[in-house]
Amino acid sequence: LTSLREAKDSSDTALERLASFYDKTRQLLLDKVRDFVAVVREAVTSAECFDDVIPILHTLQREMSGPFKTHFPNDIVLETNNLLERLQQEKKEHDRLLEFGDSDVKEKIGIWRKKLDKLQSPGMLGSFKRFVGIDDKRSYNNLKGDLTWRCEQRLKQANDALRSRDLRLVQDCTDFLVLVEQELCAHIDIGTHLQQLQERCIKA
């Protein structure tokens, strides 16, 4: 596009065909970006698949402010920047809502189950699937990885508490893991680890 832009800016009539080709190519690029932005709004609104969308928007923003800067009108750049900023803020709020408190564990695990079920759904990405790999489920895999880490931390806490005879903490961790096993077994398998923990508790 940069080379073609030179033909567009030239007054040489011999370059008119190249200038016309630049106009058509640029318009095709702008149409695709507008289509992408519209699809992103739809996908994120319906599924909150932030981790699938935000990295691509970051790349688009970087290209718009770099090599392709002269080819994009300000309104598209501003629209993309505003969308990225809004999604980053929404992701922070989304992540905050998934944090576990002291008294709402069962309710939060129910929210995690619904969220993971939705993100695992084959049609979750909708029209956005055109812009990612066929097996890409970054939002689902990241959320599942986060849950796995939380369970590993609870298992470690429970084992440490068992050694120090902090039975209240052992019970709290075990209750959490039992709920995860009951509600989220379709997404994470902690059955063996939970059984081993319970056996150690009996022996203790």
Side-chain angles (χ1 to χ4, degrees), residues 7-24:
K8 173 72 176 178
D9 295 339
S10 174
S11 59
D12 188 345
T13 56
L15 300 178
E16 287 180 356
R17 295 180 69 179
L18 286 177
S20 176
F21 183 60
Y22 167 79
D23 288 336
K24 292 178 181 178

Side-chain angles (χ1 to χ4, degrees), residues 1 9 18 21 32 44 53 74 87 90 95 104 106 109 117 122 139-140 144 146 150 167 188 191:
L1 278 177
D9 295 339
L18 286 177
F21 183 60
K32 286 186 177 296
V44 175
V53 171
N74 290 335
L87 294 184
E90 288 180 5
D95 292 346
D104 62 348
K106 187 172 184 178
I109 285 180
D117 287 348
S139 298
Y140 172 78
K144 179 181 175 180
D146 187 5
R150 290 170 188 269
L167 301 183
I188 180 173

Side-chain angles (χ1 to χ4, degrees), residues 95-114:
D95 292 346
R96 185 186 68 79
L97 291 174
L98 288 174
E99 287 295 328
F100 288 98
D102 295 330
S103 59
D104 62 348
V105 173
K106 187 172 184 178
E107 178 184 350
K108 282 297 171 74
I109 285 180
I111 294 174
W112 277 72
R113 178 178 56 77
K114 291 177 182 178

Side-chain angles (χ1 to χ4, degrees), residues 68-180:
F68 287 87
K69 184 175 182 178
T70 59
H71 309 296
F72 283 97
N74 290 335
D75 64 316
I76 293 184
V77 175
L78 181 61
E79 184 178 12
T80 302
N81 290 344
N82 289 342
L83 178 59
L84 177 58
E85 184 178 340
R86 178 172 69 82
L87 294 184
Q88 288 173 325
Q89 187 59 41
E90 288 180 5
K91 176 173 167 52
K92 288 180 181 179
E93 177 65 15
H94 168 268
D95 292 346
R96 185 186 68 79
L97 291 174
L98 288 174
E99 287 295 328
F100 288 98
D102 295 330
S103 59
D104 62 348
V105 173
K106 187 172 184 178
E107 178 184 350
K108 282 297 171 74
I109 285 180
I111 294 174
W112 277 72
R113 178 178 56 77
K114 291 177 182 178
K115 183 66 180 174
L116 286 164
D117 287 348
K118 191 172 188 178
L119 288 173
Q120 192 183 37
S121 171
M124 179 273 298
L125 292 175
S127 301
F128 185 72
K129 206 167 185 64
R130 289 182 286 145
F131 300 100
V132 296
I134 191 169
D135 295 322
D136 284 358
K137 285 188 178 180
R138 184 176 298 185
S139 298
Y140 172 78
N141 290 331
N142 287 355
L143 196 61
K144 179 181 175 180
D146 187 5
L147 179 63
T148 299
W149 178 83
R150 290 170 188 269
C151 289
E152 289 172 349
Q153 291 299 108
R154 294 294 178 114
L155 282 165
K156 182 178 184 303
Q157 279 185 323
N159 284 311
D160 290 345
L162 190 60
R163 283 191 288 271
S164 64
R165 311 298 296 177
D166 186 345
L167 301 183
R168 175 63 182 274
L169 181 55
V170 172
Q171 187 63 56
D172 288 345
C173 292
T174 303
D175 290 345
F176 174 86
L177 295 167
V178 167
L179 281 172
V180 169

